Every structure is written in structure tokens, then in C-alpha cells.
Amino acid sequence: MASLGSKVFLCVGRTNVSRFGLKESANRLAYSTLAPVNSHPGNKGFPDKNGRGPFRRKPRRDPGEPRTEKMAVDQDWLAVYPSATPFRPNSIPLPVRMGYPVRGGIPPEKKGNLELIKIPNFLHLTPAAIKKHCEALKPFCTEWPSALDTDAKCDMDFPVKVESTDYMSAGQSLRNPSARIVHLKVKLSSLNLDDHARKKMLKLVGERYCKDTDILTITTDSCPLRQQNYDYAMYLLTVLFHESWKFEPWEAEKSVADREEYIWEDSPSQKNILDVLLRMKVAGEGDDQEARDQLLERREVQEYKDSVVRLKNEGESESTMLQYKEAVKKVLSL
Amino acid sequence: MAHLALACTRAVGTAGARTPLMLRSIYLGSRNSELGITSQPSYQRSSYKIMALHRLSLRLRPTITHVRSLHTSGCRRQQEPVAAESEDEPFLVFRTQANDPASQSEKHMGQFYTVPPAHIRPLFPHGLPRRYQEQVKTFNEACIMVRPPALEVISCLKKTDYTKPAPRFLFYGLQGTGKTMSLCHTIHFCYTQGWLVLHIPDAHIWMKNCKELLPSSYNTSRFDQPLQATAWLRNFRVTSEPFLSKIKTKQRYVWTKREFTEEGRPLGELVDLGISRVKSSSDVVGAVMKELRLQSGQPGAEFRLAVAVDGVNALWGRSTIKKEDKSAVEPEELTLVYNLRKLMKNDWTGGAIIATLSQTGSLYMPKSVYLPQELLGEKGFDSMDPFVPVMVPNYSEKEFESCYLYFTDRHWLQHPQSHTEEGKKEIIFLSNRNPSMFDRICGFL
């Protein structure tokens, strides 16, 4: 299916992707060949064996030279293929081969090749043709705002991007049910979320968030019309935002297993290291809070804490293990 | 006489190191047929001839104590080479005379040292890997390679202050890289320093294949494993011979209505009781561990305690033992595991804890995991934290060379192609310098 994609950014930031479906009837081009007028008699029509007699078939003409021989290198290709048409081997000056290779040989040539005719071709969409289309469409477009010349500025002024697709096909009906789908993309860094709100938003949203690009994608297709889906998507975004800022009473019961990342304070690791260090020191110091706080201030303990946090959050690897080993050795002064 | 290549035996007085020497000497050319490369390693035959030759060589050249080894087709003879001659052949040395782990250092890296036979029986009744035990029997000697992980731990142990809580070391690495052997090397060091070694050879066997599971008499929610406990106590009795009479119990233990152990009795009595009274053996194990834990590091104690556990991740893993109602037994519910966990905590002083992680015997663990956090799990890591993880890698090039030379010297590599360069490259490719793979492959050659 040949398709034309064009994205036009309008003021609101809605993008429309249009497509042409190729279901038009193929234009039938008539071959015009300079065949000699007097052709030898062929046997067509009635079984007339020798070609003499009253039921002589229309004499068959020679196919003649293919058009490709007469094409200049700098010809206007748009004249040859002005619109989407099936593959015509004699009009295309390329030695194209397609198909499964003959045993011990190569794929069959283009002449009489059904495979090439079956597949869609984009010979009518060369860069020159596209340029002409653009020139033709320009009167219908408005200017791109000159202030928005970088991506960063676009993201800053228009953080919410809505994407939907339009479909065109030549068939019995203009409508396409896939046209109702709306994708809403927004970067979480552009929303005003604090730490708790961000974590809650991530939990609410789940799979729809991509960590690498920090983009939340909401896809709606539950309503039959695009307008309704767009409204629903905007509503979802609003609700998510406000809900993640709220603090429910049951959220206070968040346990260690629910945490997204490892926090060293009040973890068994902290208790262990403090116990060990207290025991290592002179026994007379006492086991009070001040001694613990003092120990926590020390550089080796901070390094140890960093290494444990890195180990737990990033997972294990040679480098994290090595860092942990060095930190432990320093802390225990081995 | 530079072209004289006489190999002299090692000092005959070296304890038990009767290595069959293969001699190739230009001078004693006529002897070659007798002492040539025999098809079978025959220790007694060649060593007798070596003795004869030794006497001969001593008469001829009494001052020779070192040689330059001659590269022959089949065998190589190595001694500690003279420095000037060894510059061009650094890989030929694979043995070292430093048989005491305390005296080993970086310059012995990659070399094999022999464990004196007097130490093998008391120290390793159950500790060595199975294949290594067979190798010891075949080669008639126990040679361990000096490698960086073990050396690192030993040097840390030499420097630690034993009034501080026990440091914990953990060997980890891929399968077959030599974690258990490093542990055995470290234990040998502790033994030569006179420590008491509490060696649990494989903690995984306590978590599976339990034929008898008794409810514990001490605490009804726990389970006893009498067979495993008795087996371990027997081996413990062998390893801790010298200490059994010296250490005294510090409290009174009541085993059953009629049996009890008074305070101040020697530890040996406790151990014997555990072996004879199978039913209470798990509790005896717990008592032994408790006594040792409390007593080590105290001012009056004359010993240091080394706790060596192989496969420590079993203590926090899952077990395949099932209770009567077919539910799985938690590790905490097993007396042996419970007591061992208490020992692994570093709230005692005057010793060290050395452990190995092992995926090989572990249960419900995929084969590819080897890193500490994956094998220990959350709970295990939090219990062992802070510990010093020591990575045990595959052989380096030098170590591989050394091991290859050792096998060649032992006549373990009989296949003619294994002595060629291509053969060696093939072995390297097949085994990827993994020690256990190398050992298995060479078993066929």
C-alpha cells in the first residue's frame, strides 16, 4: 500500500498523520509502439491453420523496442510516473530482478515478472515529485512561528503533545475505526511534582512511563470519536496530577518492600555497621545516640553508605562489588 | 659445564615430598633408556633410580644445587632457578618450597606448595573437594596453588587486631574457579598458626536429603537432624584434637532427664557425648558452637577460632526438606542452621569468619548466578553485612602455565599432543582457563 506521511505542526501542537490508501483503480496506460504496420499473419481467433482464407485473424504486431531505450538520462521522470501505477518493465530503465533465484542461478528479470507487479512501488514519489507536492501545498499552510526554532523551546512552551492518525482510503466507506486513537505524551520533568507526588504518579501510571526518556504516554481508544478520546486523555492527565499530590492516610503504611529505591537510614546495614564500630571502639564510650551520630559523620562510614546504596540500587557488578570491598576494608580498618 | 643438565633432587629431608623426578641429562646419556620417559608414572621405581643417580651426581658434582632446566620434548624439570638464568624462562617454576602459608607472599603467586601429609589427615577429613581428594590420592601429595584471593585473606588475617569483632570474608566467583580450594588454603594457614578451625564443608547438605528429621527437644518449634550432626561432630573431633581437652565448658547442659554435662568438663567429653547419643547430637553441636563463640577472644582463652563455611548461602536459602504436612521447612527451623547463623554474626571476637558462596549445591537457584547479593538474598546479605567480598577468578595465564606444568610433571597428561603448543592452545580454548574444567579435560588426556 503506498502511503504518504506528512506531519504538520499547528499551533496547539496536534499532529495529523495522513495517509493515502491505494485502492484506486489502476490507470491503464496504452502502449504505443512504433511497430511496423504490415505484420505477418498470426493465428488468432478461429482455428485457421494457415492464415489464408476468410477468417484471418487480426495480424499481430511486433512488440518493438521498449521505451527504456529511448529515455534520456535527464528526462522528466514525473512525466513517466505521474501517479501511483503498477510496475511497467518497459518504462523503467533499471535492471531490477526479483524473486527466488533459479537453482544455481539468479532471480528472474523484470520482464514479465509478476512479483514486481504485485508489490507496491513508490516510483511516483521521487524527491522531485515530493518537492512539487510541497510547492503545491504551500499556499494552504501557515508560517511556522519563528520563536520556536529549537526542540527545547517547543518542549518548554508546549509540553503536552497529542498525536492522532488520519486515514484515507478509496473504498466504500470513508471511516476508519483506528482514527479514534489518541496518544498523549508529556515529560514528567515539565510537571510540577515533588518527591512524594512523583513516586505516587509512577506507581499509578505503571507501564505507561518510560524511564529513559522521562515521557509519560497515555493512549486512549475507549471512546468512539477522536474528540471524546482527546477529552478523556486530558481528563486523565489532570486527575493523575491532582491525585499524586494528595496524601492518603493509608499511604503512611508504606513498608520497606514497597519502596522504589534503597534507603540506607534505618536499614539493617546501618545497624550492623554501627554495632560493629561501637564494639570496636573502647568499651567505655557507651551506647548512646551521640556516639552513633558521631560515627555516622565519619568519612569511612559515608563511603560505606554510598557503596551499599549503589550496590542495592544499581545491582551487582564487578565495579560495585569492588567499591563495596574497599569501603568495608576501610571501615573495619583491615 | 653449561651443557650439563643435571637435576638434583630436592632435599631428601622435605617431609613426605617424594616427587618422581624425571631426569634427562646429556652427560648420563646411557642412562636415558632406563630413566627415560616411562609410560606409567612409577614413583617407587624412578625414585629409587633417582636416589642412585643422586648419589652418583653427588660424587661427581657435589656442589651442584641448582640447574638450568633443559627443555625436552616430554618433561620439564624445575627447581627454584638461579635468578640470572630464570629471566628468560619465567614460567618454568611451578613449585615453591614455602610450604608454610604464613611465609607465602606475592612472589610465590602461581606456584604450587605442598601441604605436609601430617596436616592433611587432621585438617581435612571432610573439607577438600571430591575431585581434589582423588587427585591427592593419585599424585600422592596435596599441592595447592598460591593464588591472589587466598593470599589477600591471609594477609588480612595476619594484620587483624583480634580484640575487635571477627571480620568476615566471602569468596565468590563463577563455578569451578577455586573458591573451596582458596578456603582450604586459608584454613591451612589458620591451622599452622595454631587456631581452632570450625569447618563446615558444605552447608547445603544440611538443607537437603534429610533422612531423619526429629522435633527438637530443646525448642519444640525447631527440627533436629541427628545424622548430619553426628557426621559433622565426628569430623570436628578429628580436626580439633589438640583443643578438646584444653577447652572447658562454662555452663551446665542438661540433655535428657538423666544426662547432663557439668560445668568445667572438657569439650572432648561434650563431643563424644554428641557422637554416642545420636538423638541429642544437634543440640550438642549448638552447645559446642556456643561455647567456642563465648570463649574465643576472652582474656583467658588460648586459642583463636576460625569459622569456615562452604556454601554459606545455604543458610538463607530454601530447603527441600518437608515436614509431615508436606510444607517446606524454613531454614530457621533447623537447629543446625539456627546455631550456625548465630555463629556467623560477628558479635564475638578473637577470630575470623571465612566463607564461600556456592551455586553448585544450592537449591532453587539458577545456574548463572554467582554474585553475593543474588546468592545470599536480601536477608542473607543483611546478616552478613559488612563483609569483605573476595572475587576468585579463573586462572590467569601464568597460573594456567603453572598448573599445566604441574600436570605434565605428574605425568597426568599422557596424550602426546597435549605436550605440543597446539595441544595447549586447544586445552586453553576448551577450558577457558577454568580450573575445574581444566582438571576434567586433563582427566581424559
Side-chain angles (χ1 to χ4, degrees), chain A residues 262 264 268-270 272-273 276 279-280 304 308 311-312 315-318 321-322 324-325 328-329 332-334, chain B residues 152 156 160 164-165 167 169 172 346-348 370-374 378 381-383 385-391:
Chain A
Y262 181 75
W264 192 69
S269 171
Q270 186 193 18
N272 288 345
I273 192 72
V276 169
R279 259 183 278 128
M280 272 165 63
Y304 172 76
V308 171
L311 196 65
K312 294 257 186 185
E316 286 177 306
S317 69
E318 294 304 311
M321 268 283 137
L322 214 62
Y324 177 72
K325 180 164 122 180
V328 168
K329 274 181 145 165
L332 300 180
S333 37
L334 282 172
Chain B
E152 200 182 319
C156 282
T160 21
K164 302 215 177 128
F169 301 95
Y172 73 96
N346 58 353
D347 47 3
W348 50 278
Y370 71 99
L371 291 164
Q373 214 173 1
E374 297 164 335
E378 282 281 343
F381 189 85
D382 290 331
S383 316
D385 196 36
F387 62 93
V388 180
V390 183
M391 161 87 167

Side-chain angles (χ1 to χ4, degrees), chain B residues 294-364:
Chain B
L294 292 174
Q295 286 192 25
S296 93
Q298 302 306 318
E302 308 126 2
F303 68 99
R304 295 223 184 107
L305 182 64
V307 178
V309 185
D310 203 335
V312 78
N313 49 317
L315 301 179
W316 293 280
R318 289 164 65 177
S319 83
T320 46
I321 312 177
K322 301 249 188 319
K323 297 186 247 201
E324 276 117 18
D325 53 355
K326 302 280 168 78
S327 60
V329 170
E330 294 292 316
E332 299 82 56
E333 292 176 1
L334 294 167
T335 333
L336 290 174
V337 173
Y338 181 77
N339 288 318
L340 190 57
R341 275 200 201 176
K342 283 202 280 191
L343 202 57
M344 295 301 287
K345 273 179 60 172
N346 58 353
D347 47 3
W348 50 278
T349 60
I353 302 175
I354 314 138
T356 336
L357 289 177
S358 157
Q359 190 279 331
T360 320
S362 68
L363 299 158
Y364 302 106

Side-chain angles (χ1 to χ4, degrees), chain B residues 52-262:
Chain B
L53 196 62
H54 176 64
R55 286 196 286 276
L56 174 69
S57 66
L58 277 183
R59 269 205 322 253
L60 294 170
R61 288 284 291 269
T63 54
I64 291 179
T65 48
H66 46 254
V67 312
R68 180 163 50 118
S69 43
L70 181 69
H71 175 57
T72 60
S73 64
C75 57
R76 299 173 183 223
R77 194 70 310 273
Q78 290 80 358
Q79 300 296 331
E80 306 222 4
V82 181
E85 290 166 336
S86 69
E87 271 150 22
D88 50 340
E89 294 156 342
F91 292 113
L92 294 187
V93 179
F94 68 90
R95 277 193 201 273
T96 169
Q97 307 286 357
N99 284 343
D100 182 18
S103 60
Q104 286 157 0
S105 66
E106 275 84 29
K107 59 180 193 318
H108 300 115
M109 211 77 87
Q111 296 176 2
F112 281 86
Y113 83 95
T114 326
V115 178
H119 292 181
I120 301 182
R121 211 33 227 127
L123 182 54
F124 295 127
H126 55 170
L128 297 171
R130 171 116 358 129
R131 278 193 77 93
Y132 186 71
Q133 274 174 348
E134 291 166 3
Q135 185 183 307
V136 168
K137 224 179 346 180
T138 318
F139 291 169
N140 230 8
E141 60 175 5
C143 277
I144 303 185
M145 193 196 276
V146 177
R147 289 182 80 191
L151 270 188
E152 200 182 319
V153 174
I154 290 177
S155 62
C156 282
L157 287 177
K158 283 187 204 164
K159 287 188 265 178
T160 21
D161 177 5
Y162 290 104
T163 53
K164 302 215 177 128
R168 286 182 283 207
F169 301 95
L170 198 66
F171 288 113
Y172 73 96
L174 290 161
Q175 200 183 3
T177 48
K179 303 180 284 285
T180 312
M181 289 308 295
S182 302
L183 187 72
C184 294
H185 188 180
T186 323
I187 297 175
H188 187 219
F189 164 76
C190 300
Y191 181 80
T192 49
Q193 300 291 305
W195 297 24
L196 170 61
V197 174
L198 198 95
H199 184 38
I200 288 111
D202 190 5
H204 292 294
I205 47 176
W206 288 358
M207 302 290 283
K208 50 185 175 178
N209 300 337
C210 183
K211 297 208 173 50
E212 264 188 47
L213 197 70
L214 304 173
S216 164
S217 47
Y218 181 71
N219 186 335
T220 40
S221 61
R222 294 210 278 263
F223 293 96
D224 271 358
Q225 289 157 294
L227 297 173
Q228 277 94 337
T230 356
W232 185 79
L233 277 173
R234 277 203 199 95
N235 288 321
F236 177 67
R237 188 166 54 179
V238 173
T239 52
S240 55
E241 268 305 332
F243 297 95
L244 286 177
S245 42
K246 285 195 229 155
I247 305 176
K248 307 274 187 257
T249 54
K250 288 280 189 300
Q251 73 172 83
R252 186 169 191 264
Y253 295 99
V254 179
W255 307 116
T256 57
K257 270 190 250 181
R258 263 167 264 167
E259 282 170 22
F260 48 83
T261 312
E262 289 291 344

Side-chain angles (χ1 to χ4, degrees), chain A residues 212-231:
Chain A
D212 301 323
T213 56
D214 189 35
I215 290 183
L216 164 68
T217 311
I218 300 177
T219 307
T220 40
D221 61 353
S222 29
C223 306
L225 296 181
R226 182 188 292 162
Q227 174 68 36
Q228 296 167 342
N229 277 322
Y230 170 70
D231 290 339

Side-chain angles (χ1 to χ4, degrees), chain A residues 14-310:
Chain A
R14 177 188 296 216
T15 66
N16 272 330
V17 177
S18 349
R19 269 206 214 157
F20 289 122
L22 181 67
K23 281 186 194 161
E24 309 152 0
S25 53
N27 295 344
R28 203 156 302 150
L29 284 184
Y31 283 86
S32 62
T33 52
L34 297 173
V37 175
N38 48 337
S39 48
H40 55 266
N43 19 355
K44 254 197 328 187
F46 280 94
D48 195 350
K49 290 282 179 356
N50 288 336
R52 280 175 276 110
F55 298 115
R56 202 173 297 186
R57 273 202 251 148
K58 196 166 165 198
R60 188 179 163 191
R61 295 187 297 173
D62 279 329
E65 233 188 326
R67 187 173 157 191
T68 52
E69 309 289 322
K70 296 172 223 142
M71 282 180 174
V73 178
D74 53 354
Q75 68 170 335
D76 180 23
W77 181 254
L78 292 151
V80 184
Y81 259 86
S83 60
T85 13
F87 187 87
R88 291 190 298 265
N90 286 340
S91 301
I92 293 167
L94 299 167
V96 180
R97 288 180 175 270
M98 173 149 172
Y100 192 78
V102 177
R103 197 189 149 96
I106 45 174
E109 56 176 11
K110 65 178 176 174
K111 203 158 150 124
N113 195 330
L114 193 61
E115 303 288 320
L116 282 166
I117 299 177
K118 285 196 291 191
I119 56 167
N121 65 69
F122 295 87
L123 295 159
H124 58 291
L125 293 177
T126 49
I130 304 278
K131 254 203 192 114
K132 263 183 88 177
H133 297 146
C134 288
E135 296 298 320
L137 283 172
K138 269 223 166 66
F140 302 103
C141 302
T142 54
E143 276 280 331
W144 181 258
S146 53
L148 295 175
D149 40 6
T150 57
D151 267 342
K153 285 194 196 159
C154 291
D155 287 342
M156 201 171 61
D157 291 320
F158 302 102
V160 179
K161 297 180 179 25
V162 178
E163 193 179 308
S164 58
T165 310
D166 286 312
Y167 299 83
M168 255 178 76
S169 62
Q172 283 155 337
S173 160
L174 285 176
R175 317 226 178 256
N176 193 324
S178 316
R180 76 188 194 285
I181 301 175
V182 170
H183 303 278
L184 190 141
K185 289 193 172 43
V186 67
K187 268 206 173 140
L188 282 193
S189 46
S190 50
L191 297 175
N192 180 22
L193 295 168
D194 74 345
D195 188 44
H196 157 262
R198 192 191 154 86
K199 289 204 176 127
K200 187 165 176 185
M201 168 81 93
L202 290 178
K203 274 205 199 278
L204 285 171
V205 143
E207 284 275 319
R208 298 173 184 82
Y209 176 73
C210 171
K211 227 192 287 196
D212 301 323
T213 56
D214 189 35
I215 290 183
L216 164 68
T217 311
I218 300 177
T219 307
T220 40
D221 61 353
S222 29
C223 306
L225 296 181
R226 182 188 292 162
Q227 174 68 36
Q228 296 167 342
N229 277 322
Y230 170 70
D231 290 339
Y232 181 48
M234 294 303 281
Y235 162 75
L236 278 179
L237 184 63
T238 323
V239 158
L240 276 171
F241 181 77
H242 289 294
E243 280 295 326
S244 56
W245 268 100
K246 286 190 206 161
F247 192 86
E248 303 280 340
W250 45 259
E251 282 188 46
E253 295 165 24
K254 190 173 182 185
S255 68
V256 176
D258 291 326
R259 289 206 203 127
E260 292 88 8
E261 55 181 18
Y262 181 75
I263 302 176
W264 192 69
E265 282 72 28
D266 283 338
S267 71
S269 171
Q270 186 193 18
K271 287 191 213 95
N272 288 345
I273 192 72
L274 285 176
D275 284 332
V276 169
L277 285 174
L278 280 171
R279 259 183 278 128
M280 272 165 63
K281 285 184 166 267
V282 178
E285 259 203 35
D287 185 29
D288 52 350
Q289 196 56 35
E290 289 170 17
R292 283 174 189 263
D293 292 334
Q294 246 179 11
L295 282 173
L296 280 173
E297 297 296 313
R298 284 169 55 183
R299 202 170 52 93
E300 294 100 29
V301 181
Q302 291 294 318
E303 274 180 25
Y304 172 76
K305 167 191 164 186
D306 291 331
S307 68
V308 171
V309 166
R310 190 167 165 228

